[in-house]
PDB file of all heavy atoms in Angstrom:
ATOM      1  N   VAL A 198       1.760  16.645 200.954  1.00 97.00           N
ATOM      2  CA  VAL A 198       1.990  16.859 202.373  1.00 97.00           C
ATOM      3  C   VAL A 198       3.455  17.211 202.623  1.00 97.00           C
ATOM      4  O   VAL A 198       3.791  17.983 203.528  1.00 97.00           O
ATOM      5  CB  VAL A 198       1.625  15.576 203.119  1.00 97.00           C
ATOM      6  CG1 VAL A 198       2.211  15.447 204.527  1.00 97.00           C
ATOM      7  CG2 VAL A 198       0.079  15.386 203.135  1.00 97.00           C
ATOM      8  N   ALA A 199       4.360  16.664 201.796  1.00 98.00           N
ATOM      9  CA  ALA A 199       5.844  16.777 202.050  1.00 98.00           C
ATOM     10  C   ALA A 199       6.381  18.136 202.226  1.00 98.00           C
ATOM     11  O   ALA A 199       7.255  18.380 203.029  1.00 98.00           O
ATOM     12  CB  ALA A 199       6.570  16.015 200.908  1.00 98.00           C
ATOM     13  N   PRO A 200       5.841  19.180 201.530  1.00 98.00           N
ATOM     14  CA  PRO A 200       6.398  20.515 201.690  1.00 98.00           C
ATOM     15  C   PRO A 200       6.244  21.105 203.082  1.00 98.00           C
ATOM     16  O   PRO A 200       6.851  22.148 203.370  1.00 98.00           O
ATOM     17  CB  PRO A 200       5.649  21.368 200.645  1.00 98.00           C
ATOM     18  CG  PRO A 200       5.143  20.422 199.655  1.00 98.00           C
ATOM     19  CD  PRO A 200       4.858  19.151 200.374  1.00 98.00           C
ATOM     20  N   ALA A 201       5.441  20.437 203.938  1.00 98.00           N
ATOM     21  CA  ALA A 201       5.340  20.915 205.289  1.00 98.00           C
ATOM     22  C   ALA A 201       6.680  20.966 206.030  1.00 98.00           C
ATOM     23  O   ALA A 201       6.885  21.764 206.905  1.00 98.00           O
ATOM     24  CB  ALA A 201       4.327  20.063 206.111  1.00 98.00           C
ATOM     25  N   LEU A 202       7.585  20.096 205.609  1.00 98.00           N
ATOM     26  CA  LEU A 202       8.912  20.116 206.210  1.00 98.00           C
ATOM     27  C   LEU A 202       9.600  21.424 205.919  1.00 98.00           C
ATOM     28  O   LEU A 202      10.163  22.121 206.817  1.00 98.00           O
ATOM     29  CB  LEU A 202       9.783  18.971 205.624  1.00 98.00           C
ATOM     30  CG  LEU A 202       9.402  17.581 206.012  1.00 98.00           C
ATOM     31  CD1 LEU A 202      10.444  16.599 205.348  1.00 98.00           C
ATOM     32  CD2 LEU A 202       9.465  17.404 207.541  1.00 98.00           C
ATOM     33  N   ALA A 203       9.570  21.868 204.713  1.00 98.00           N
ATOM     34  CA  ALA A 203      10.198  23.151 204.295  1.00 98.00           C
ATOM     35  C   ALA A 203       9.467  24.324 204.958  1.00 98.00           C
ATOM     36  O   ALA A 203      10.057  25.278 205.421  1.00 98.00           O
ATOM     37  CB  ALA A 203      10.219  23.311 202.788  1.00 98.00           C
ATOM     38  N   ARG A 204       8.121  24.181 205.089  1.00 98.00           N
ATOM     39  CA  ARG A 204       7.381  25.267 205.732  1.00 98.00           C
ATOM     40  C   ARG A 204       7.766  25.389 207.192  1.00 98.00           C
ATOM     41  O   ARG A 204       7.916  26.465 207.760  1.00 98.00           O
ATOM     42  CB  ARG A 204       5.858  25.010 205.623  1.00 98.00           C
ATOM     43  CG  ARG A 204       5.316  25.348 204.233  1.00 98.00           C
ATOM     44  CD  ARG A 204       3.803  25.656 204.289  1.00 98.00           C
ATOM     45  NE  ARG A 204       3.054  24.502 204.869  1.00 98.00           N
ATOM     46  CZ  ARG A 204       2.734  23.473 204.180  1.00 98.00           C
ATOM     47  NH1 ARG A 204       3.037  23.308 202.917  1.00 98.00           N
ATOM     48  NH2 ARG A 204       2.046  22.455 204.809  1.00 98.00           N
ATOM     49  N   GLY A 205       7.994  24.237 207.844  1.00 98.00           N
ATOM     50  CA  GLY A 205       8.429  24.216 209.195  1.00 98.00           C
ATOM     51  C   GLY A 205       9.782  24.937 209.336  1.00 98.00           C
ATOM     52  O   GLY A 205       9.989  25.789 210.219  1.00 98.00           O
ATOM     53  N   LEU A 206      10.725  24.546 208.481  1.00 98.00           N
ATOM     54  CA  LEU A 206      12.013  25.214 208.483  1.00 98.00           C
ATOM     55  C   LEU A 206      11.906  26.744 208.263  1.00 98.00           C
ATOM     56  O   LEU A 206      12.570  27.536 208.954  1.00 98.00           O
ATOM     57  CB  LEU A 206      13.011  24.615 207.485  1.00 98.00           C
ATOM     58  CG  LEU A 206      13.330  23.104 207.751  1.00 98.00           C
ATOM     59  CD1 LEU A 206      14.203  22.583 206.584  1.00 98.00           C
ATOM     60  CD2 LEU A 206      14.089  22.893 209.083  1.00 98.00           C
ATOM     61  N   ASP A 207      11.050  27.114 207.302  1.00 98.00           N
ATOM     62  CA  ASP A 207      10.859  28.541 207.065  1.00 98.00           C
ATOM     63  C   ASP A 207      10.318  29.257 208.282  1.00 98.00           C
ATOM     64  O   ASP A 207      10.674  30.377 208.621  1.00 98.00           O
ATOM     65  CB  ASP A 207       9.851  28.717 205.916  1.00 98.00           C
ATOM     66  CG  ASP A 207      10.564  28.542 204.564  1.00 98.00           C
ATOM     67  OD1 ASP A 207      11.798  28.455 204.539  1.00 98.00           O
ATOM     68  OD2 ASP A 207       9.828  28.396 203.566  1.00 98.00           O
ATOM     69  N   ALA A 208       9.397  28.609 208.952  1.00 98.00           N
ATOM     70  CA  ALA A 208       8.768  29.224 210.126  1.00 98.00           C
ATOM     71  C   ALA A 208       9.848  29.424 211.212  1.00 98.00           C
ATOM     72  O   ALA A 208       9.898  30.489 211.865  1.00 98.00           O
ATOM     73  CB  ALA A 208       7.629  28.319 210.690  1.00 98.00           C
ATOM     74  N   ALA A 209      10.736  28.465 211.354  1.00 98.00           N
ATOM     75  CA  ALA A 209      11.784  28.607 212.388  1.00 98.00           C
ATOM     76  C   ALA A 209      12.710  29.727 211.948  1.00 98.00           C
ATOM     77  O   ALA A 209      13.172  30.562 212.783  1.00 98.00           O
ATOM     78  CB  ALA A 209      12.541  27.314 212.550  1.00 98.00           C
ATOM     79  N   HIS A 210      12.986  29.847 210.672  1.00 98.00           N
ATOM     80  CA  HIS A 210      13.905  30.837 210.190  1.00 98.00           C
ATOM     81  C   HIS A 210      13.308  32.216 210.388  1.00 98.00           C
ATOM     82  O   HIS A 210      14.014  33.151 210.800  1.00 98.00           O
ATOM     83  CB  HIS A 210      14.237  30.628 208.684  1.00 98.00           C
ATOM     84  CG  HIS A 210      15.455  31.306 208.228  1.00 98.00           C
ATOM     85  ND1 HIS A 210      15.676  31.747 206.984  1.00 98.00           N
ATOM     86  CD2 HIS A 210      16.580  31.635 208.930  1.00 98.00           C
ATOM     87  CE1 HIS A 210      16.862  32.341 206.938  1.00 98.00           C
ATOM     88  NE2 HIS A 210      17.466  32.250 208.091  1.00 98.00           N
ATOM     89  N   GLU A 211      11.961  32.381 210.154  1.00 98.00           N
ATOM     90  CA  GLU A 211      11.336  33.631 210.447  1.00 98.00           C
ATOM     91  C   GLU A 211      11.503  34.014 211.912  1.00 98.00           C
ATOM     92  O   GLU A 211      11.777  35.158 212.223  1.00 98.00           O
ATOM     93  CB  GLU A 211       9.809  33.514 210.139  1.00 98.00           C
ATOM     94  CG  GLU A 211       9.496  33.608 208.656  1.00 98.00           C
ATOM     95  CD  GLU A 211       9.937  34.874 208.015  1.00 98.00           C
ATOM     96  OE1 GLU A 211       9.652  35.993 208.625  1.00 98.00           O
ATOM     97  OE2 GLU A 211      10.679  34.842 206.960  1.00 98.00           O
ATOM     98  N   ALA A 212      11.248  33.051 212.805  1.00 98.00           N
ATOM     99  CA  ALA A 212      11.414  33.299 214.220  1.00 98.00           C
ATOM    100  C   ALA A 212      12.863  33.697 214.505  1.00 98.00           C
ATOM    101  O   ALA A 212      13.064  34.674 215.355  1.00 98.00           O
ATOM    102  CB  ALA A 212      11.016  32.055 215.027  1.00 98.00           C
ATOM    103  N   PHE A 213      13.818  32.992 213.898  1.00 98.00           N
ATOM    104  CA  PHE A 213      15.216  33.385 214.154  1.00 98.00           C
ATOM    105  C   PHE A 213      15.458  34.812 213.691  1.00 98.00           C
ATOM    106  O   PHE A 213      16.130  35.592 214.411  1.00 98.00           O
ATOM    107  CB  PHE A 213      16.127  32.380 213.367  1.00 98.00           C
ATOM    108  CG  PHE A 213      17.604  32.692 213.592  1.00 98.00           C
ATOM    109  CD1 PHE A 213      18.270  32.131 214.645  1.00 98.00           C
ATOM    110  CD2 PHE A 213      18.293  33.478 212.667  1.00 98.00           C
ATOM    111  CE1 PHE A 213      19.633  32.399 214.863  1.00 98.00           C
ATOM    112  CE2 PHE A 213      19.653  33.740 212.831  1.00 98.00           C
ATOM    113  CZ  PHE A 213      20.287  33.206 213.928  1.00 98.00           C
ATOM    114  N   LEU A 214      14.969  35.174 212.510  1.00 97.00           N
ATOM    115  CA  LEU A 214      15.189  36.510 211.969  1.00 97.00           C
ATOM    116  C   LEU A 214      14.514  37.534 212.888  1.00 97.00           C
ATOM    117  O   LEU A 214      14.929  38.676 212.964  1.00 97.00           O
ATOM    118  CB  LEU A 214      14.705  36.564 210.556  1.00 97.00           C
ATOM    119  CG  LEU A 214      15.417  35.729 209.569  1.00 97.00           C
ATOM    120  CD1 LEU A 214      14.894  35.899 208.138  1.00 97.00           C
ATOM    121  CD2 LEU A 214      16.928  36.050 209.497  1.00 97.00           C
ATOM    122  N   GLY A 215      13.420  37.074 213.544  1.00 97.00           N
ATOM    123  CA  GLY A 215      12.726  38.014 214.510  1.00 97.00           C
ATOM    124  C   GLY A 215      13.463  38.106 215.811  1.00 97.00           C
ATOM    125  O   GLY A 215      12.934  38.747 216.741  1.00 97.00           O
ATOM    126  N   GLY A 216      14.594  37.438 215.965  1.00 98.00           N
ATOM    127  CA  GLY A 216      15.355  37.584 217.199  1.00 98.00           C
ATOM    128  C   GLY A 216      15.377  36.366 218.126  1.00 98.00           C
ATOM    129  O   GLY A 216      16.055  36.307 219.120  1.00 98.00           O
ATOM    130  N   GLU A 217      14.560  35.326 217.832  1.00 98.00           N
ATOM    131  CA  GLU A 217      14.465  34.158 218.662  1.00 98.00           C
ATOM    132  C   GLU A 217      15.780  33.341 218.535  1.00 98.00           C
ATOM    133  O   GLU A 217      16.224  33.044 217.483  1.00 98.00           O
ATOM    134  CB  GLU A 217      13.269  33.317 218.262  1.00 98.00           C
ATOM    135  CG  GLU A 217      13.013  32.072 219.162  1.00 98.00           C
ATOM    136  CD  GLU A 217      12.753  32.497 220.620  1.00 98.00           C
ATOM    137  OE1 GLU A 217      11.663  32.977 220.904  1.00 98.00           O
ATOM    138  OE2 GLU A 217      13.746  32.387 221.407  1.00 98.00           O
ATOM    139  N   ARG A 218      16.338  33.000 219.690  1.00 98.00           N
ATOM    140  CA  ARG A 218      17.564  32.217 219.685  1.00 98.00           C
ATOM    141  C   ARG A 218      17.415  30.916 220.493  1.00 98.00           C
ATOM    142  O   ARG A 218      18.301  30.016 220.318  1.00 98.00           O
ATOM    143  CB  ARG A 218      18.769  33.013 220.273  1.00 98.00           C
ATOM    144  CG  ARG A 218      19.119  34.261 219.496  1.00 98.00           C
ATOM    145  CD  ARG A 218      19.759  33.836 218.111  1.00 98.00           C
ATOM    146  NE  ARG A 218      20.125  34.980 217.260  1.00 98.00           N
ATOM    147  CZ  ARG A 218      19.299  35.599 216.357  1.00 98.00           C
ATOM    148  NH1 ARG A 218      18.066  35.140 216.219  1.00 98.00           N
ATOM    149  NH2 ARG A 218      19.717  36.567 215.667  1.00 98.00           N
ATOM    150  N   ALA A 219      16.389  30.802 221.257  1.00 98.00           N
ATOM    151  CA  ALA A 219      16.209  29.573 222.092  1.00 98.00           C
ATOM    152  C   ALA A 219      15.780  28.391 221.189  1.00 98.00           C
ATOM    153  O   ALA A 219      14.732  28.467 220.479  1.00 98.00           O
ATOM    154  CB  ALA A 219      15.142  29.820 223.171  1.00 98.00           C
ATOM    155  N   VAL A 220      16.564  27.358 221.195  1.00 98.00           N
ATOM    156  CA  VAL A 220      16.340  26.291 220.235  1.00 98.00           C
ATOM    157  C   VAL A 220      14.993  25.567 220.511  1.00 98.00           C
ATOM    158  O   VAL A 220      14.278  25.258 219.548  1.00 98.00           O
ATOM    159  CB  VAL A 220      17.492  25.268 220.281  1.00 98.00           C
ATOM    160  CG1 VAL A 220      17.089  23.935 219.657  1.00 98.00           C
ATOM    161  CG2 VAL A 220      18.711  25.845 219.586  1.00 98.00           C
ATOM    162  N   ASP A 221      14.560  25.472 221.762  1.00 98.00           N
ATOM    163  CA  ASP A 221      13.312  24.813 221.958  1.00 98.00           C
ATOM    164  C   ASP A 221      12.159  25.607 221.341  1.00 98.00           C
ATOM    165  O   ASP A 221      11.211  25.041 220.796  1.00 98.00           O
ATOM    166  CB  ASP A 221      13.015  24.568 223.468  1.00 98.00           C
ATOM    167  CG  ASP A 221      13.199  25.773 224.369  1.00 98.00           C
ATOM    168  OD1 ASP A 221      13.649  26.846 223.858  1.00 98.00           O
ATOM    169  OD2 ASP A 221      12.907  25.624 225.574  1.00 98.00           O
TER     170      ASP A 221
END
Side-chain angles (χ1 to χ4, degrees):
V198 164
L202 290 180
R204 282 204 302 280
L206 294 175
D207 281 348
H210 201 209
E211 282 301 310
F213 180 86
L214 296 178
E217 186 58 78
R218 295 292 180 270
V220 163
D221 52 354

